[in-house]
């Protein structure tokens, strides 16, 4: 339940993501307020909070799908600035899984997976396909590799999206509500894949409302509201002894049913 | 009382004739309601009134030989001009001893088009390159130089002129249109404004005005020793005109692509041009196929406007024929009908290709 898993013990103290005093506005709306967060290699951080609290925006800033106005984000030693070279470097190190999968519908599952390795890592096609097949097997959709995304179920599509991100052999994986768009019976298969990934020692930042899953894999829980980090704690303390009133309210609302 | 025992199962029976076969087809397609039946009868009457007399005029009572309009009776169509003038309709005033160059260009065009339009032909890899090189080859054959006698572009004419202007415009307007559409969505204000200004300026002016500008005004802005070939000016203007329309068609396709597709590509690490080429454009262009082909067809028909710079395309030669003393007054309908048929054939083929492409692409995906 807590940080006592063997992988967590192996988590190093070197931060792989270092965010300090991050501020972001959408027009006049102050969406991220003075966020500082440091994530160690092999650490699993689950971020939760009510909708509109800025949690998705926060992780989208980490691979620069959103830019920020103040503060700094350093990923694996590379500061995120307007410099396109740095952005490219950071994106190579970070894999991302979206709520809506964002698979490319005009490419087969295999082609979805080999696109990055071939065009970004400049890998020969054959080597890229070997890697892709390895990860498709790991997420257990090897038999779907020749199909197009539209022919797969939601759960299969999300697992394909995870495989696509893994094919770039990233050092960090970002998950933006990966199960929110899934039918209930498909959530487990995606969470199982993510649990396996956590056990293999991947650094993960997960925005999710799956509290059972969070309690199981997280090293650290973060609760955000109104663009701020309201509470940050071990899962054990977070679920059993939340400190702030907002956290208590949120947990009571989300855990009641 | 409620007991039932059906000892023999019923075999399937043939459907009633109102549902299948000829009668069924007629019922479903032509006589499904009173209103439809009435419309069918009206249409049939109209067809009966129009088609037999037309065929009678165009073929049965038509005159196919003779040296001048006097040979024609006037009851049927006069096709006597065809064997003298067909060459002019297709080659214009291109020198007769060089007609073979046009023919070779036309024959070489067939594989160049096929390799672009049809997938999985044998030798596809070589074929693609051939298609890229073909325009240079065609230009060399038609214009000459390097050992071939040079033929000035003012000798170009007839349907060959329509094909030269039309195909060049089609080949160039799509990539230029795509770039304009991307530029119109650019985050860089200078590029965006330039693209918007170009698109709106060109779309807001009739093509014929642009052609006058190209012919009359352009020389005022160029240094006197520079003289752009007249045909080249027309090709440039027709291409730019079609590009502006193409840009708007493609923009429609681009806007239909969800933002998540671009984010997915960025998250994988693809740069802007890779994202556009590998992810966005293949999907956007697929959606835009009907509009793209529509623009192509419009462009092809606009090639008849070369007449305003004194070049005679297919339609121009049809008009020339009508004013020829030997034929004056006897061939007005026939010459136009012939031109219309040729244009229709080409445009209809384009339209059918676009339909089959759409079908094929939607089959691939699901």
């Amino acid at each position: 339940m807590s940080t006592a898993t063997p992988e967590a013990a192996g988590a190093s103290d070197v931060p792989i993501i270092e965010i300090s005093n991050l501020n972001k506005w959408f027009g006049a709306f102050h969406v991220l307020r003075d966020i500082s967060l440091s994530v160690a290699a092999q650490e699993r951080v689950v971020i939760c909070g009510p909708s509109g609290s800025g949690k998705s925006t926060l992780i989208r800033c980490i691979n620069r799908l959103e830019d920020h106005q103040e503060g700094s984000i350093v990923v694996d030693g590379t500061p995120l600035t307007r410099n396109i070279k740095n952005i490219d470097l950071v994106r190579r190190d970070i894999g991302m899984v979206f709520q809506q999968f964002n698979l490319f519908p005009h490419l087969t599952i295999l082609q979805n997976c080999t696109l990055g390795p071939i065009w970004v890592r400049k890998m020969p096609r054959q080597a890229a396909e070997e890697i892709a097949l390895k990860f498709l097997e790991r997420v257990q959709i090897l038999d779907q590799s020749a199909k197009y995304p539209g022919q797969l179920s939601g759960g299969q599509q999300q697992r394909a999206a995870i495989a696509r991100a893994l094919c770039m052999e990233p050092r960090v994986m970002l998950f933006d509500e990966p199960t929110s768009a899934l039918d209930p019976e498909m959530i487990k298969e995606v969470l199982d894949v993510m649990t396996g990934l956590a056990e293999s020692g991947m650094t993960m930042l997960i925005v999710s409302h799956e509290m059972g899953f969070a309690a199981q894999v997280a090293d650290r829980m973060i609760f955000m509201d109104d663009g701020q980090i309201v509470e940050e704690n071990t899962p054990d303390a977070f679920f059993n002894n939340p400190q702030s009133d907002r956290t208590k309210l949120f947990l009571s609302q989300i855990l009641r049913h | 009382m409620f007991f039932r025992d059906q000892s023999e199962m019923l075999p399937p029976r043939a459907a009633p004739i109102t549902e299948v076969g000829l009668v069924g087809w007629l019922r479903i397609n032509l006589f499904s309601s009173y209103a439809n039946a009435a419309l069918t009868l009206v249409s049939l009457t109209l067809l009966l009134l129009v088609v037999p007399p037309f065929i009678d005029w165009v073929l049965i009572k038509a005159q196919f030989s003779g040296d001048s309009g006097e040979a024609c009776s006037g009851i049927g169509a006069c096709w006597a001009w065809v064997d003298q003038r067909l060459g002019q309709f297709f080659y214009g005033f291109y020198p007769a001893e060089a007609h073979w160059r046009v023919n070779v260009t036309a024959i070489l065009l067939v594989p160049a088009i096929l390799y672009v339009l049809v997938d999985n032909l044998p030798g596809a890899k070589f074929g693609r390159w051939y298609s890229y090189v073909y325009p240079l080859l065609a230009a060399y054959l038609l214009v000459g130089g390097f050992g071939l006698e040079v033929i000035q572009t003012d000798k170009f004419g007839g349907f060959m002129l329509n094909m030269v202007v039309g195909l060049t415009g089609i080949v160039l307007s799509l990539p230029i249109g795509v770039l304009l559409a991307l530029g119109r969505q650019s985050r860089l204000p200078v590029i965006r404004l330039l693209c918007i200004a170009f698109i709106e300026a060109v779309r807001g002016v009739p093509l014929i005005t642009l052609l006058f500008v190209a012919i009359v005004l352009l020389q005022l802005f160029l240094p006197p020793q520079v003289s752009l070939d007249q045909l080249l000016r027309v090709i440039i203007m027709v291409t730019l005109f079609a590009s502006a329309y193409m840009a708007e068609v493609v923009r429609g396709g681009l806007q239909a692509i969800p933002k998540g597709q671009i984010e997915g590509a960025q998250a994988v690490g693809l740069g802007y041009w890779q994202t556009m080429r590998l992810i966005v454009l293949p999907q956007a262009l697929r959606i835009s196929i009907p509009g793209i082909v529509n623009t192509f067809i419009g462009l092809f028909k606009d090639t008849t406007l070369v007449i305003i710079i004194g070049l005679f395309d297919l339609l121009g030669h049809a008009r020339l024929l009508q004013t020829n003393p030997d034929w004056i007054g006897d061939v007005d309908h026939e010459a136009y009908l012939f031109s219309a048929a040729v244009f229709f054939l080409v445009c209809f083929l384009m339209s059918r290709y676009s339909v089959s492409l759409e079908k094929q692409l939607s089959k691939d995906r699901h």
Side-chain angles (χ1 to χ4, degrees):
Chain A
M1 223 21 198
S2 70
T3 57
T5 56
E7 291 76 33
S12 69
D13 293 333
V14 187
I16 194 164
I17 299 172
E18 185 81 69
I19 301 171
S20 42
N21 305 104
L22 182 72
N23 278 285
K24 176 173 176 60
W25 288 262
F26 281 129
F29 178 58
H30 197 174
V31 59
L32 293 179
R33 305 182 195 170
D34 218 24
I35 303 249
S36 293
L37 173 69
S38 145
V39 179
Q42 305 203 342
E43 196 180 5
R44 270 91 57 180
V45 179
V46 172
I47 305 171
C48 60
S51 67
S53 59
K55 49 198 193 309
S56 287
T57 310
L58 173 61
I59 68 165
R60 285 161 59 85
C61 282
I62 297 175
N63 70 347
R64 196 69 173 191
L65 290 182
E66 305 283 353
D67 56 358
H68 57 272
Q69 283 83 30
E70 284 176 16
S72 74
I73 301 174
V74 180
V75 179
D76 203 16
T78 312
L80 268 177
T81 57
R82 289 192 191 282
N83 187 331
I84 291 189
K85 269 206 178 116
N86 283 7
I87 297 174
D88 284 345
L89 272 176
V90 165
R91 283 183 182 157
R92 277 178 202 214
D93 271 351
I94 297 181
M96 183 151 186
V97 175
F98 300 86
Q99 183 177 354
Q100 301 292 345
F101 327 139
N102 294 353
L103 289 170
F104 308 128
H106 61 302
L107 302 176
T108 63
I109 298 301
L110 183 64
Q111 288 169 332
N112 265 278
C113 291
T114 55
L115 197 73
I118 289 175
W119 291 95
V120 180
R121 291 223 183 273
K122 311 288 178 204
M123 218 179 254
R125 176 171 301 277
Q126 208 186 344
E129 284 181 356
E130 275 170 26
I131 290 183
L133 292 173
K134 182 180 90 184
F135 284 114
L136 286 174
E137 186 170 17
R138 189 156 149 197
V139 302
Q140 297 178 2
I141 46 167
L142 189 58
D143 51 333
Q144 312 288 332
S145 65
K147 292 191 182 165
Y148 288 89
Q151 298 167 311
L152 269 57
S153 74
Q156 289 172 325
Q157 289 192 47
Q158 192 59 297
R159 286 185 281 151
I162 294 174
R164 177 178 75 180
L166 290 176
C167 284
M168 289 297 288
E169 312 202 296
R171 302 199 56 199
V172 180
M173 285 283 283
L174 307 176
F175 292 84
D176 187 3
E177 306 204 25
T179 56
S180 301
L182 294 176
D183 289 337
E185 73 269 25
M186 294 172 181
I187 291 177
K188 184 173 179 296
E189 63 190 51
V190 171
L191 292 182
D192 284 347
V193 166
M194 290 171 63
T195 307
L197 198 57
E199 280 164 3
S200 75
M202 175 64 77
T203 312
M204 296 162 80
L205 255 84
I206 305 159
V207 172
S208 178
H209 292 150
E210 296 295 333
M211 289 302 139
F213 165 78
Q216 191 191 337
V217 305
D219 296 318
R220 187 161 28 137
M221 292 296 304
I222 287 177
F223 174 71
M224 284 182 72
D225 198 3
D226 279 341
Q228 301 152 63
I229 295 182
V230 174
E231 183 156 356
E232 187 173 356
N233 219 327
T234 62
D236 206 11
F238 182 81
F239 289 112
N240 297 324
N241 186 20
Q243 299 299 307
S244 102
D245 291 340
R246 289 177 183 230
T247 315
K248 285 175 196 163
L249 178 66
F250 176 74
L251 285 176
S252 73
Q253 283 168 339
I254 202 165
L255 295 176
R256 191 179 296 150
H257 57 95
Chain B
M1 188 125 165
F2 297 108
F3 181 76
R4 177 190 285 215
D5 179 7
Q6 187 170 313
S7 50
E8 267 179 55
M9 299 303 285
L10 297 176
R13 282 193 299 137
I17 57 162
T18 52
E19 296 303 316
V20 291
L22 181 63
V23 177
W25 186 88
L26 285 175
R27 228 182 107 95
I28 292 164
N29 291 289
L30 299 179
F31 298 98
S32 59
S33 68
Y34 286 113
N36 280 349
L39 280 175
T40 299
L41 291 177
V42 170
S43 308
L44 271 180
T45 318
L46 279 175
L47 284 175
L48 278 175
L49 284 175
V50 172
V51 173
F54 178 74
I55 291 177
D56 194 43
W57 177 79
V58 92
L59 285 175
I60 298 170
K61 295 219 177 78
Q63 177 72 33
F64 288 95
S65 59
D67 294 331
S68 74
E70 287 162 24
C72 293
S73 58
I75 307 169
C78 183
W79 300 114
W81 51 272
V82 169
D83 60 89
Q84 303 180 4
R85 293 298 185 111
L86 196 63
Q88 259 185 32
F89 272 51
F90 282 99
Y91 302 102
F93 299 119
Y94 206 81
E97 68 275 10
H99 278 183
W100 65 270
R101 284 159 61 172
V102 179
N103 297 339
V104 171
T105 312
I107 292 166
L108 291 179
L109 174 65
V110 175
I113 287 187
L114 284 180
Y115 274 117
V116 173
L117 299 191
V118 186
D119 281 341
N120 304 326
L121 287 179
K125 205 165 189 182
F126 161 78
R128 259 314 139 81
W129 282 109
Y130 170 73
S131 300
Y132 288 136
V133 175
Y134 173 80
L136 295 175
L137 199 64
Y140 167 66
L141 276 166
L142 293 178
V143 178
F146 302 104
L148 272 180
E149 187 201 345
V150 174
I151 292 170
Q152 297 298 330
T153 55
D154 57 6
K155 294 279 185 292
F156 285 25
F159 191 60
M160 161 243 184
L161 180 61
N162 297 110
M163 289 296 276
V164 168
V165 177
L167 280 178
T168 319
I170 283 173
V171 168
L172 294 178
S173 65
L174 184 58
I176 297 176
V178 166
L179 288 178
L180 284 170
L182 291 177
R184 188 165 187 163
Q185 301 200 318
S186 170
R187 272 200 258 169
L188 306 171
V190 177
I191 293 181
R192 188 174 61 241
L193 283 176
L194 279 176
C195 289
I196 292 176
F198 177 87
I199 292 168
E200 297 302 341
V202 171
R203 268 203 317 170
V205 175
L207 175 57
I208 201 155
T209 316
L210 289 177
L211 290 177
F212 278 126
V213 168
I215 303 312
V216 183
L217 286 179
L218 202 59
Q219 199 59 53
L220 297 178
F221 303 112
L222 291 173
Q225 62 272 25
V226 177
S227 165
L228 259 182
D229 182 88
Q230 296 256 316
L231 180 61
L232 200 58
R233 296 181 194 191
V234 169
I235 290 179
I236 290 172
M237 280 305 178
V238 168
T239 304
L240 293 183
F241 188 74
S243 303
Y245 280 88
M246 195 63 77
E248 290 300 281
V249 169
V250 173
R251 185 165 70 100
L254 289 177
Q255 283 174 343
I257 307 301
K259 209 168 153 239
Q261 289 292 305
I262 296 174
E263 292 177 352
Q266 287 175 335
V268 171
L270 297 178
Y272 174 81
W273 290 107
Q274 287 176 331
T275 303
M276 290 303 141
R277 187 160 67 89
L278 299 169
I279 305 301
V280 176
L281 285 175
Q283 298 182 62
L285 292 179
R286 176 179 295 180
I287 305 171
S288 315
I289 288 171
I292 291 173
V293 174
N294 190 32
T295 309
F296 282 166
I297 288 175
L299 180 153
F300 190 72
K301 291 187 295 185
D302 281 345
T303 59
T304 51
L305 290 173
V306 293
I307 197 146
I308 72 148
I309 55 160
L311 290 178
F312 289 91
D313 71 323
L314 179 60
L315 198 61
H317 276 279
R319 294 168 64 113
L320 267 190
L321 178 69
Q322 291 161 3
T323 56
N324 183 299
D326 284 344
W327 302 98
I328 199 161
D330 292 312
V331 293
D332 295 11
H333 302 90
E334 292 84 342
Y336 280 140
L337 192 64
F338 178 80
S339 312
V342 175
F343 276 105
F344 174 78
L345 182 70
V346 174
C347 295
F348 186 65
L349 285 177
M350 283 198 255
S351 162
R352 293 321 296 173
Y353 174 73
S354 111
V355 171
S356 75
L357 187 64
E358 281 171 58
K359 272 192 190 149
Q360 186 197 328
L361 289 175
S362 66
K363 196 172 61 191
D364 277 355
R365 233 165 109 180
H366 296 293

